[in-house]
Amino acid sequence: MRRRSRAAEALGAVLLLALSAACGSRLPESDFGHGERTSVPSAFAPLRVGIITSATSPVGGSAFTGPRDGAKAWFDRLDARGGIDGRRVEVRLCDDGGSGVGNNECVHRLVEEDKVVALVATTALDYAGASRVSRAGVPDIGGQPIGSAYDTYPHLYGIYGSRAPRDGTTGWNGKLYGGTEVYRYFKREHGARTAAVVSYNQSASAAYARLVERGLRAEGYKVVPEQVDFALPNFRAIAADLKEQGADLVFDAIDSHGNARLCQAMDEVGAHVTAKVTNVQNWASTVADDYKDAPHCRNALWATGSSRNYDDTGHPAVREFREATKGLKTHSQWQLEGWAAARWFTDAARSCARTGITRACVDAYMNRSEGFTAGGLLLPVEFERLAKPPKTLRTCLSVARWQDGRGWVGQGDMNHTCFVVPQLAYQP
């Protein structure tokens, strides 16, 4: 099963987070021992894994914690059931504060001092220590591709996979590629023809908006660019123009607070659209509160991604996740993906139980990973190392729509919502 890289969407997600912190732009060594020499000294000693999270970053305390919480829930449940081959998993958490300096400190502590066998569900605003993790031969499993590290370095295995060579150079000659399947989906399934793209008059926001506009035009949409002043935004004027232009869809390159204000303005002027499209990071149970002043727009929110809807409790793997996380105040797609990352490590470690759970053995399993789905939670993950970027791919996507009283309602089977689409280059 083919599936597009989510790096372009992740670029947009981190951009919006940076904007919400009013940063104005995107936040952007010593060798450690080789993986083969790192092993657990006792057959019954705990297995140490590390989780690096930008938990106290400039963009807010809860922005990046979903994958960590999901992974931790998996490991707590695993240990309650006997661990891996009788050995408990000891989770070492590290908050890098959302800075490159802090990230390098976390890498040093976890990799060199704590000697973790792997990193799991990394979610870092600035993954400055990625090259050090790679040089140490430490498998980094199921991390969120907020930057380009998972399409750059060996031993790093992003939650959505990668087809890039990962030889130390980002993508293919510094460029990454993403598909147009999201735009194809709304065109084919909902007859959408006119799409608005809302951005700030700020360079990073405008650059991401141009990327979205390019993909929409490649799919034959009439594109309506809308730009709002970052310092003094007039969302009502934007909403009025959306109504006049007859937009079917609204995409954006603005922060979460701006999105809530845009939705409120759309309700006030009666700008009703087929879909206000958001990304996987905003696929969360907090929608009702975040958009409390925009009931119509709120019920037009759609999310797309590469993992099964966390509200799809009819699926056994989702039901297992929800049962284990019922104590959490909120639920999100990122939590589910962190849970899937921890499950991925567990499968790798179990495969090594007979010969020894070392960094090298776990990494060898990850290098052979093909079609991993975490029991149906993910679209099949692949690491192909293609010498040349693909021109087209058959790509699939998971789609859900928010409905008051029901939460996120899945729209079809993600394994069959697939399209052959062009792959467009962009500079990360």
Side-chain angles (χ1 to χ4, degrees):
M1 188 67 68
R2 300 285 185 173
R3 176 185 50 79
R4 79 166 178 152
S5 166
R6 286 280 164 187
E9 186 173 284
L11 168 64
V14 75
L15 162 67
L16 306 189
L17 288 165
L19 288 170
S20 70
C23 297
S25 65
R26 199 179 157 190
L27 296 179
E29 285 183 18
S30 63
D31 284 324
F32 300 123
H34 222 332
E36 292 87 338
R37 296 197 299 269
T38 301
S39 60
V40 179
S42 166
F44 299 100
L47 284 170
R48 287 183 182 173
V49 300
I51 301 178
I52 299 176
T53 309
S54 297
T56 56
S57 71
V59 300
S62 62
F64 289 90
T65 55
R68 178 202 68 189
D69 294 344
K72 189 69 167 56
W74 169 271
F75 287 129
D76 287 346
R77 176 181 170 279
L78 181 69
D79 284 345
R81 297 184 176 188
I84 298 174
D85 197 33
R87 291 165 60 184
R88 155 177 99 80
V89 177
E90 181 181 309
V91 179
R92 297 292 179 97
L93 304 178
C94 192
D95 173 13
D96 68 8
S99 74
V101 171
N103 187 265
N104 271 307
E105 290 175 351
C106 280
V107 168
H108 172 75
R109 185 203 309 171
L110 296 177
V111 173
E112 186 174 56
E113 295 181 354
D114 292 347
K115 292 182 169 51
V116 297
V117 71
L119 298 177
V120 177
T122 301
T123 312
L125 185 60
D126 183 357
Y127 198 177
S131 63
R132 301 172 67 180
V133 173
S134 179
R135 287 199 304 271
V138 176
D140 178 335
I141 300 171
Q144 289 291 335
I146 292 171
S148 59
Y150 292 98
D151 288 296
T152 302
Y153 300 107
H155 310 297
L156 273 59
Y157 304 93
I159 192 66
Y160 308 130
S162 174
R163 293 182 172 85
R166 293 185 300 128
D167 55 6
T169 300
T170 298
W172 294 266
N173 297 318
K175 292 183 178 180
L176 296 177
Y177 290 75
T180 60
E181 67 274 11
V182 172
Y183 319 128
R184 180 78 59 87
Y185 169 82
F186 285 104
K187 182 178 180 180
R188 191 188 79 173
E189 299 297 324
H190 300 283
R193 293 293 182 270
T194 302
V197 183
V198 182
S199 64
Y200 287 125
N201 61 339
Q202 186 266 358
S203 59
S205 176
Y208 179 64
R210 287 193 296 270
L211 178 63
V212 175
E213 291 166 14
R214 184 181 168 209
L216 286 163
R217 290 192 176 98
E219 289 296 332
Y221 281 84
K222 173 188 173 184
V223 178
V224 180
E226 300 280 4
Q227 193 167 86
V228 62
D229 187 274
F230 182 50
L232 298 169
N234 185 348
F235 287 111
R236 191 178 180 89
I238 297 296
D241 194 54
L242 293 178
K243 181 179 180 180
E244 183 177 345
Q245 296 284 347
D248 301 311
L249 308 177
V250 176
F251 294 86
D252 69 86
I254 61 178
D255 60 304
S256 55
H257 177 66
N259 262 301
R261 293 181 62 190
L262 173 62
C263 262
Q264 183 178 358
M266 289 170 63
D267 272 20
E268 289 172 353
V269 304
H272 298 158
V273 297
T274 300
K276 171 72 176 69
V277 187
T278 189
N279 57 49
V280 67
Q281 192 190 2
N282 296 314
W283 193 337
S285 61
T286 57
V287 163
D289 290 332
D290 295 343
Y291 293 85
K292 63 181 183 298
D293 297 321
H296 197 284
C297 183
R298 180 175 68 238
N299 283 277
L301 285 174
W302 292 64
T304 65
S306 295
S307 53
R308 190 174 299 277
N309 178 17
Y310 77 84
D311 263 342
D312 181 11
T313 53
H315 191 280
V318 176
R319 196 160 54 246
E320 183 182 31
F321 159 73
R322 291 298 296 269
E323 177 64 25
T325 57
K326 61 186 178 183
L328 297 178
K329 292 182 179 179
T330 62
H331 284 93
S332 72
Q333 205 64 14
W334 262 15
Q335 290 172 358
L336 179 141
E337 292 181 355
W339 169 276
R343 178 170 179 163
W344 204 352
F345 165 78
T346 302
D347 286 357
R350 281 176 172 157
S351 77
C352 299
R354 180 175 295 180
T355 58
I357 304 174
T358 64
R359 291 174 177 176
C361 183
V362 171
D363 186 68
Y365 176 94
M366 294 302 300
N367 241 344
R368 298 191 303 271
S369 287
E370 184 176 347
F372 178 77
T373 68
L377 295 179
L378 304 174
L379 286 167
V381 181
E382 299 174 2
F383 297 97
E384 290 187 288
R385 297 182 183 268
L386 299 180
K388 294 182 180 180
K391 293 182 179 180
T392 63
L393 283 175
R394 182 176 185 268
T395 61
C396 304
L397 71 159
S398 176
V399 185
R401 178 185 179 180
W402 177 268
Q403 292 183 15
D404 286 347
R406 298 182 65 190
W408 289 100
V409 179
Q411 306 294 306
D413 185 340
M414 69 179 186
N415 290 297
H416 295 98
T417 306
C418 307
F419 311 88
V420 177
V421 293
Q423 301 295 298
L424 306 180
Y426 66 94
Q427 200 81 32

